[in-house]
Amino acid sequence: MSHRVSARLGIAFALSGLFGLVGCGAPQGAGDADVSNLEWVKSRTNSTQYAYLESRDLADTFIFGASVIGVDDFISSALNMVIRPTNVKLRTRTTGGVKKLDVLTADANQETLLSFNTKAVSGKTEIDFASAGNDVQLRGLIDAIGGIYTAGDMDGYWVSSGAPRVLKIQQDADTLVVDLLHTIRQAVLKTDIFGNQTIDHFVSDHAGKVTIRVFLKRKKTLARINRNRKVADGLAKSVGYFGPDLGGESNDVQIQRFAIGDAQDASSSITFYLKDVPAEFKSVAQKAILSWNAGFGNGSVIKVADAPASLDAGDPRFNVVKWFNGLDDEIGWAGVAKMIVEPDTGLVMGGNLYLNGGSVLEMYKGITDFSQRMGAGGLPILSGTLGNVRFDRDPGEKPVVPYLSDLTQNYASYMQGYYLETIAHEVGHVLGLRHNFRGSTELTANESASVMDYSPRAERAHYKGPGRYDVAAIRWGYFGEAPRGAALPFCTDEDIWKFYDCSQGDWGAPEKSAIYGLLDGTLALTKKPIEATEDVLVSSLTGALENALKIKKFSAQLPAATRADTLKKIDAAYNYLYTAAPDAALTAPQKAIVEKNLARVRELAKKKEDELRAAGNL
């Protein structure tokens, strides 16, 4: 669901102390069954922000979910954490003389996910949100109902320092949203022979702040999906949709989508609210979001508005595009989509799109500057023979240099195009679409068939609107229209190491993209004495190398007529990456720069090969 700076999210780790009790709840206390008019309030404050639960709430089913919506002086990858929405029930009980309100899974197990202390105040029941506990590991909660979570260190636990502070409570008749501010540190635990865990050491040298948004949404008030459509049905038509489980567990589930089109009222619309988006990127965000109207047949289904100050991400009633500045190096994405989905029907209740602003802008200043200097005087193209292998380039073909941004654009215009494509990609996820890494194998006027692909840096900033695949996918998912014409090019994340032509970062014919990516990229480095940073080189030439090695692994899938020639060229390009020398015409100081660049690329390439081998992909 993330748009690439580096890798997709989903690193498993353990958390502690963010919410509350995990385990089996005790039986309901005597005399509590008739409790009504419960008042959820900031505990022991004079705040006027109240939320009420009436007696009917103890019988109804709710959707529960949570996500991180802000960090301050803590690892930014905490923003990746989102707990998958799940069906829950509410229960009051008394244990040890203390009245409790439990949030339970709405299944036969009735596992307690959260538990709050309550007390009688002026004839009503006040719920202390800050009493959700600060010593219990949250990992049990995540393991119980699923989610995406990462904190940089696979062994990292989050440990609260004291009780959380309730920042805000929002409500309507059927929705409750609570923001909890936690002071936390990341720690590594140790386990004794009896299975008891204690803190071994802290990863961070001081505590930071993390804001968690928790919500409850009354299930029976949600829009209904009138037309059933399953993930498997889409795959049979080469169309990829998420299911409520984010596509990871079963294809025999309903697709993830909003209640519009044939699913619900055809006059319904979807509004995306822009939160903290800088003025210079507001029109870009608006254009990217509205471009998806092409799939809905008119210009009014998708809408854009500025978010009022009180509106933020993580609320199941809204779709929010939120811009973040000041994020640290733990973030591996330029944008990420986090959907709030009903677990049974796939209904998208709300969609959140996080944008990595300041750090990406700063990184691309260096990349764009490097690109402009590398491109001065034109980029060299390897033609003729290399060893005993001949390379015949297509007339007018431009070099495929993965680590360069577009040479025809300056930094400001390139970043406008970059975020245009990034936001459009993430909106596609919010609408339900999965990645499509075959999109760029079909080009029309040098435009990919799908914005759901991962494009090279130079090509990603030329988004003109949803491609042929994207429109067909929307028409099927939302209106039941079977794709027309030629078969749609489609593959997704789990297909990458199944097919030679299912790759990230390629453009056009996968074989040529990999071969000439290695050749042109290496040749440019040998001739251009411009020192390259890691940002420039990472996920560039090494990406072309990965694709080339994958094509070799699945060479039996290549067209028989060109297979032998393709493999010869891949071997020649691979060897060139490891053996190329600085251009003879360079001065000694210039050669030193080139040698440093080549050595760094080879180091990164070797690391990539080791990673692929360890994963069993080589």
Side-chain angles (χ1 to χ4, degrees):
M1 297 190 307
S2 65
H3 205 57
R4 62 274 174 236
V5 168
S6 57
R8 188 173 184 269
L9 308 181
I11 303 172
F13 84 122
L15 312 174
S16 74
L18 290 186
F19 289 122
L21 304 178
V22 178
C24 296
Q28 182 169 306
D32 285 336
D34 296 327
V35 172
S36 63
N37 201 30
L38 296 175
E39 183 176 4
W40 292 44
V41 61
K42 286 187 177 180
S43 179
R44 316 315 306 155
T45 72
N46 295 320
S47 170
T48 58
Q49 297 182 78
Y50 299 99
Y52 296 93
L53 289 178
E54 301 172 348
S55 56
R56 62 176 178 144
D57 301 327
L58 300 177
D60 282 347
T61 299
F62 288 80
I63 308 295
F64 163 80
S67 61
V68 172
I69 63 170
V71 295
D72 183 10
D73 202 23
F74 191 70
I75 50 176
S76 298
S77 59
L79 290 169
N80 298 343
M81 199 284 285
V82 55
I83 293 176
R84 188 170 67 200
T86 193
N87 297 319
V88 300
K89 303 282 286 187
L90 305 178
R91 175 186 66 183
T92 57
R93 62 184 171 91
T94 301
T95 179
V98 179
K99 289 184 176 291
K100 297 277 188 180
L101 179 69
D102 294 334
V103 179
L104 310 164
T105 57
D107 55 22
N109 294 328
Q110 288 195 310
E111 183 176 7
T112 303
L113 301 177
L114 293 176
S115 185
F116 303 102
N117 293 339
T118 70
K119 65 183 305 181
V121 177
S122 302
K124 295 183 178 180
T125 302
E126 180 188 79
I127 289 81
D128 179 4
F129 284 108
S131 68
N134 64 319
D135 298 320
V136 184
Q137 296 168 12
L138 182 60
R139 179 165 187 172
L141 178 57
I142 291 177
D143 286 348
I145 60 179
I148 297 172
Y149 38 97
T150 176
D153 190 326
M154 293 282 286
D155 299 318
Y157 282 71
W158 291 358
V159 179
S160 293
S161 176
R165 181 161 64 93
V166 180
L167 294 180
K168 183 188 296 185
I169 300 172
Q170 301 177 74
Q171 70 163 133
D172 58 30
D174 301 300
T175 312
L176 177 68
V177 179
V178 182
D179 294 347
L180 301 173
L181 179 67
H182 292 265
T183 302
I184 59 178
R185 294 178 70 182
Q186 187 184 2
V188 172
L189 303 186
K190 58 183 177 182
T191 305
D192 63 23
I193 59 174
F194 302 106
N196 300 314
Q197 291 185 317
T198 56
I199 295 174
D200 182 76
H201 65 277
F202 283 104
V203 176
S204 52
D205 58 3
H206 62 279
K209 305 290 186 181
V210 174
T211 302
I212 311 292
R213 171 161 282 188
V214 181
F215 72 82
L216 289 170
K217 179 74 174 177
R218 198 183 309 273
K219 188 178 178 73
K220 68 184 181 183
T221 64
L222 295 173
R224 296 291 85 190
I225 298 292
N226 295 331
R227 295 287 189 274
N228 291 333
R229 206 158 289 138
K230 292 190 175 182
V231 170
D233 300 330
L235 294 176
K237 297 174 174 61
S238 294
V239 171
Y241 270 82
F242 288 115
D245 59 2
L246 297 180
E249 298 172 12
S250 171
N251 293 329
D252 189 31
V253 292
Q254 300 302 314
I255 64 170
Q256 183 172 298
R257 58 177 166 161
F258 287 91
I260 58 174
D262 68 5
Q264 190 67 18
D265 182 357
S267 65
S268 298
S269 61
I270 307 168
T271 300
F272 287 85
Y273 293 91
L274 304 184
K275 178 78 173 180
D276 301 329
V277 177
E280 63 268 30
F281 288 105
K282 276 194 175 182
S283 62
V284 167
Q286 184 177 42
K287 182 178 179 181
I289 295 165
L290 295 179
S291 72
W292 282 98
N293 276 317
F296 292 93
N298 62 63
S300 60
V301 171
I302 310 292
K303 299 179 179 180
V304 182
D306 287 332
S310 60
L311 194 151
D312 207 337
D315 189 319
R317 298 169 294 181
F318 304 105
N319 309 297
V320 178
V321 178
K322 184 172 183 177
W323 182 282
F324 290 87
N325 284 317
L327 303 185
D328 55 43
D329 292 339
E330 297 289 341
I331 286 292
W333 40 261
V336 64
K338 302 200 291 186
M339 293 73 77
I340 302 174
V341 182
E342 185 183 24
D344 301 316
T345 67
L347 170 74
V348 178
M349 296 181 282
N352 304 294
L353 198 169
Y354 288 5
L355 293 172
N356 186 355
S359 58
V360 169
L361 289 170
E362 185 63 29
M363 180 179 74
Y364 268 91
K365 283 182 181 178
I367 292 173
T368 306
D369 176 68
F370 180 85
S371 299
Q372 300 301 321
R373 290 188 290 146
M374 282 285 282
L379 285 170
I381 301 176
L382 195 148
S383 58
T385 61
L386 183 64
N388 61 350
V389 180
R390 179 163 186 83
F391 294 88
D392 297 311
R393 307 297 287 257
D394 295 333
E397 183 181 348
K398 65 178 183 179
V400 180
V401 184
Y403 49 74
L404 295 185
S405 61
D406 180 20
L407 298 176
T408 67
Q409 294 180 290
N410 61 27
Y411 167 73
S413 63
Y414 178 80
M415 293 313 300
Q416 295 267 319
Y418 177 93
Y419 278 108
L420 178 67
E421 194 252 10
T422 296
I423 295 170
H425 177 102
E426 298 305 332
V427 171
H429 282 319
V430 173
L431 293 172
L433 299 184
R434 297 197 62 185
H435 287 132
N436 180 2
F437 297 128
R438 275 204 186 105
S440 61
T441 65
E442 179 183 297
L443 302 179
T444 302
N446 206 37
E447 288 296 312
S448 173
S450 180
V451 72
M452 304 313 296
D453 205 339
Y454 281 3
S455 305
R457 285 175 180 159
E459 283 73 23
R460 72 177 54 162
H462 290 276
Y463 176 70
K464 298 295 190 299
R468 182 176 79 91
Y469 166 84
D470 303 322
V471 172
I474 292 295
R475 298 307 300 176
W476 176 80
Y478 283 86
F479 302 96
E481 297 178 7
R484 301 168 185 169
L488 295 173
F490 172 76
C491 70
T492 194
D493 298 78
E494 59 265 27
D495 302 322
I496 289 178
W497 281 96
K498 295 178 182 177
F499 304 103
Y500 86 94
D501 59 348
C502 184
S503 299
Q504 302 175 6
D506 58 354
W507 192 254
E511 309 96 305
K512 287 186 177 182
S513 186
I515 292 166
Y516 293 124
L518 291 175
L519 290 178
D520 293 336
T522 303
L523 180 64
L525 288 182
T526 67
K527 292 182 174 293
K528 301 284 185 172
I530 303 168
E531 187 166 352
T533 64
E534 178 129 342
D535 286 337
V536 168
L537 297 174
V538 166
S539 301
S540 53
L541 271 178
T542 54
L545 173 70
E546 177 176 335
N547 291 341
L549 293 173
K550 183 174 67 172
I551 291 169
K552 285 193 65 175
K553 178 174 181 175
F554 297 108
S555 60
Q557 299 175 5
L558 291 167
T562 59
R563 185 180 302 142
D565 184 61
T566 295
L567 292 176
K568 281 183 182 180
K569 289 178 177 177
I570 287 177
D571 286 340
Y574 173 85
N575 291 331
Y576 184 56
L577 173 66
Y578 281 100
T579 60
D583 188 270
L586 299 176
T587 65
Q590 291 174 332
K591 286 182 179 179
I593 294 173
V594 167
E595 286 171 348
K596 180 179 179 181
N597 289 342
L598 291 172
R600 185 63 179 132
V601 163
R602 289 161 186 161
E603 178 186 344
L604 294 170
K606 180 62 167 58
K607 181 180 178 182
K608 172 60 69 175
E609 289 185 68
D610 291 342
E611 290 173 354
L612 295 175
R613 192 168 289 107
N617 291 327
L618 287 184

